[in-house]
Amino acid sequence: ISLWPAVTRSLRRHPWLTAANAVVALLFLALLLNVGGLRGRVLGRSPTRAIRLAVLPFANLSGDPQQEYLSDGVTQEMIAQLGRLHPASLSVIARTSVMRYKKTDTPIDRIGRELGVDYVLEGSAQREAGRIRISAELIQVRGQAQLWADVYERELSGILALQSDVARNVASALALKLLPAEQTRLATTHAVNPEAYEAHLKGMQCSHRVTPQDLGAALEYFELALKRDPNYAPAYAGVSFVWLDRQQAGYTAPREAGPKAKAAALKAIELDSTLGEGHSALAAFNYLYQWDWAGAEAEFKRAIELNPNFPDARSLFSHYLMIMKRPEEAMAEIQRALQLDPLNELVHIHHAFLLESAGRYDEAIVQLRNLLRTSPQNPMAHWGLSYDLFRTAKYEESLAEMKAYYAGDREMDEALTQGYAQSGYRGAMIRAADLLIARGRTTYVVPIDVAALYAIAGEKVQALEWLEKGFEARDPNMPYLGLYPEFETLRSEPRFQALVRKMNLPEA
């Protein structure tokens, strides 16, 4: 929206403005437009300090809750577009953290403090027939001054070009000097198949909730997108992550999920080699299933090179680095992920795991308890806390956290309670392991989970037997063999050392 008409209207309405007043008005205009970098100099922003920006959830103005996926998709795409622009100068908060503010009236200054950002971009999206209308507004947190605003309307097929226009204008308002490659990328968007684009957005909305039902729905949407456009690379990346999540959560056996994840990731990269999500999915497959350490590192670095503001890739990369016995690099990556996504529960859990892998159990306990204050039902926080409390000999508290992890599983709760009553903490772990084994006769059971329970109980032979089963099943948790504290008593065992060598892991 041009500000020149606003200035001329003001002069016409107020003829008493002197020439000096007009000069002040024009200087104010120059400040807002950042002519010659004036705003940066006046506001005292250091040219070497990265600007921190949050894209707040775009409002759905359609009046139809079923269109929520579209406004969420616009939010996600704006984060992605801006996150790839001049990352040395612009740091963009990730989706998980900003979605906490969806449909809230949290003041801008509070959001700025909680996320540690200098600016916020907010707006709305509205679809009418085959067209989409987007409004956007850039606000400086300090003083809550509007720096730029505009409204765009196009055919839905041109939405990527529309979002590139918004990103280009935001960069200009922030006085970012884009590199030629960045300018070219913004200028070379292509039309999308509207039905494929919509199906992909719906799939992404489901995939953020990793229940079996939501992952199934996400896969259906991604496959629908590919029916509408067989060359839509983001949908292939989505398919890959669904299968990776399914195997990691134990919903699907790795022998089934792994190859499907790989094929989809490779297809995504074949169709669009600049898609960071495709490289991140292949990196995850390489280290979780293939145990190809060199290949995993190369793909992680490529994903981060393509999108340095991609916290998911950095968080996973931090685990890879810890597995490779490079703890300082691992901590640097997880800290960067926390800066980019400070409210992401999974990133905090990944951080806690790195702390416990380094033997810093008390710090991990504090972190997980803090997380549970705001998200008391988070199962992975309960799981990690249970093992950290075990390592610090707080057995009753550890048992309570394990029960919280299995909340709703009455059979497991009874096994843990009866085992503890009969033989203490060790008995509870054995009864839990036995129950998982019994369930394994009819469904897939994660071998390393059984091994961990037996190891805690001091049953070394059974623990090693289940670790060997994990190796044969390509359990995606096996790369953590040398990090899990519950396996500390096994590390001198020849069978354990043989597994480490077969997997080409650094010596435990």
Side-chain angles (χ1 to χ4, degrees):
I1 296 174
S2 174
L3 295 176
W4 284 106
V7 173
T8 56
R9 283 196 302 271
S10 180
L11 287 170
R12 285 197 298 269
R13 285 197 305 269
H14 304 289
W16 48 266
L17 278 174
T18 65
N21 294 134
V23 169
V24 170
L26 290 174
L27 283 173
F28 177 71
L29 174 63
L31 177 64
L32 286 179
L33 294 178
N34 202 48
V35 176
L38 177 63
R39 184 170 66 243
R41 295 195 297 274
V42 172
L43 298 180
R45 191 182 75 217
S46 167
T48 60
R49 177 186 175 274
I51 300 168
R52 287 178 59 80
L53 169 72
V55 180
L56 298 184
F58 274 52
N60 170 23
L61 297 187
S62 68
D64 180 5
Q66 297 299 317
Q67 295 291 316
E68 204 74 23
Y69 72 89
L70 186 60
S71 55
D72 287 351
V74 170
T75 306
Q76 175 63 43
E77 184 60 27
M78 289 313 311
I79 291 171
Q81 289 265 19
L82 291 164
R84 297 176 68 184
L85 291 183
H86 218 315
S89 303
L90 181 63
S91 179
V92 183
I93 300 299
R95 177 190 184 279
T96 312
S97 290
V98 298
M99 292 307 285
R100 298 282 188 92
Y101 301 101
K102 183 175 179 176
K103 296 182 179 179
T104 71
D105 56 0
T106 309
I108 294 294
D109 58 343
R110 179 177 168 185
I111 294 174
R113 289 194 303 272
E114 291 177 352
L115 297 180
V117 296
D118 309 301
Y119 301 89
V120 298
L121 178 70
E122 60 179 3
S124 62
Q126 184 174 9
R127 180 183 174 180
E128 294 180 358
R131 296 183 68 80
I132 184 168
R133 179 183 176 89
I134 290 177
S135 67
E137 178 184 17
L138 181 66
I139 300 171
Q140 185 178 30
V141 171
R142 186 178 63 185
Q144 300 183 42
Q146 183 194 81
L147 300 186
W148 165 85
D150 211 337
V151 178
Y152 303 80
E153 185 172 348
R154 291 195 186 178
E155 294 292 328
L156 188 59
S157 61
I159 190 169
L160 297 185
L162 185 158
Q163 291 164 335
S164 290
D165 287 345
V166 176
R168 188 184 298 107
N169 286 325
V170 169
S172 176
L174 293 173
L176 295 179
K177 187 176 181 180
L178 300 183
L179 300 174
E182 294 165 342
Q183 295 173 348
T184 300
R185 185 169 65 242
L186 288 176
T188 54
T189 57
H190 57 275
V192 296
N193 180 301
E195 292 179 328
Y197 180 78
E198 287 189 71
H200 176 255
L201 291 186
K202 291 178 180 178
M204 291 299 295
Q205 189 178 48
C206 292
S207 68
H208 291 303
R209 304 181 296 267
V210 291
T211 67
Q213 297 77 16
D214 286 311
L215 289 176
L219 185 61
E220 289 180 6
Y221 280 125
F222 292 140
E223 290 175 342
L224 175 60
L226 293 171
K227 285 181 181 177
R228 298 293 182 261
D229 181 358
N231 295 317
Y232 195 53
Y236 277 108
V239 169
S240 183
F241 276 115
V242 165
W243 287 110
L244 288 168
D245 286 340
R246 279 181 164 179
Q247 72 167 15
Q248 196 69 22
Y251 302 148
T252 306
R255 293 284 185 186
E256 176 187 354
K260 293 178 179 179
K262 177 184 180 181
L266 289 173
K267 186 64 176 179
I269 294 170
E270 176 190 332
L271 292 170
D272 184 356
S273 63
T274 68
L275 185 66
E277 288 83 353
H279 290 280
S280 183
L282 185 57
F285 166 82
N286 281 343
Y287 102 86
L288 292 172
Y289 181 89
Q290 195 67 29
W291 307 336
D292 173 5
W293 314 121
E297 181 160 4
E299 292 298 328
F300 274 128
K301 287 182 174 179
R302 180 59 176 153
I304 293 170
E305 178 188 14
L306 289 167
N307 187 356
N309 284 315
F310 188 14
D312 295 5
R314 289 187 180 275
S315 187
L316 283 173
F317 190 34
S318 74
H319 275 209
Y320 165 87
L321 291 167
M322 188 64 87
I323 289 168
M324 293 293 104
K325 305 298 183 184
R326 293 152 63 181
E328 292 183 1
E329 294 175 70
M331 287 298 182
E333 287 296 338
I334 199 66
Q335 289 297 336
R336 180 61 177 144
L338 286 168
Q339 290 171 1
L340 293 168
D341 211 351
L343 303 182
N344 187 320
E345 295 178 10
L346 184 58
V347 175
H348 281 280
I349 289 170
H350 282 178
H351 183 213
F353 177 77
L354 295 187
L355 291 172
E356 69 181 38
S357 297
R360 296 158 61 179
Y361 301 113
D362 290 337
E363 293 176 63
I365 288 170
V366 169
Q367 174 132 340
L368 292 172
R369 281 182 167 155
N370 286 339
L371 176 58
L372 286 169
R373 288 191 184 97
T374 57
S375 184
Q377 306 304 319
N378 188 300
M380 294 311 299
H382 286 297
W383 180 264
L385 189 53
S386 174
Y387 283 110
D388 291 336
L389 290 166
F390 159 73
R391 294 304 307 168
T392 53
K394 297 181 176 69
Y395 300 118
E396 289 189 4
E397 294 178 59
S398 172
L399 183 66
E401 292 299 330
M402 187 163 289
K403 286 185 175 184
Y405 170 74
Y406 285 108
D409 187 338
R410 187 173 302 174
E411 193 177 26
M412 180 59 79
D413 187 271
E414 290 177 358
L416 289 167
T417 300
Q418 293 172 6
Y420 190 78
Q422 293 172 358
S423 307
Y425 190 83
R426 176 178 177 275
M429 298 301 103
I430 292 174
R431 288 289 291 269
D434 290 345
L435 177 58
L436 290 181
I437 293 170
R439 291 175 173 177
R441 299 189 186 102
T442 56
T443 187
Y444 175 73
V445 171
V446 180
I448 206 168
D449 287 353
V450 179
L453 292 168
Y454 276 136
I456 290 171
E459 299 291 335
K460 292 185 179 181
V461 174
Q462 291 94 324
L464 290 165
E465 177 184 335
W466 278 91
L467 286 179
E468 288 165 349
K469 289 181 178 181
F471 176 85
E472 295 301 325
R474 309 296 295 193
D475 185 337
N477 296 286
M478 286 295 288
Y480 296 92
L481 200 61
L483 297 184
Y484 278 10
E486 50 268 36
F487 297 139
E488 186 174 329
T489 59
L490 303 179
R491 288 174 187 159
S492 61
E493 296 289 331
R495 290 169 69 183
F496 186 92
Q497 293 172 355
L499 286 172
V500 170
R501 288 192 296 272
K502 283 196 288 186
M503 293 180 65
N504 293 315
L505 286 166
E507 290 297 323

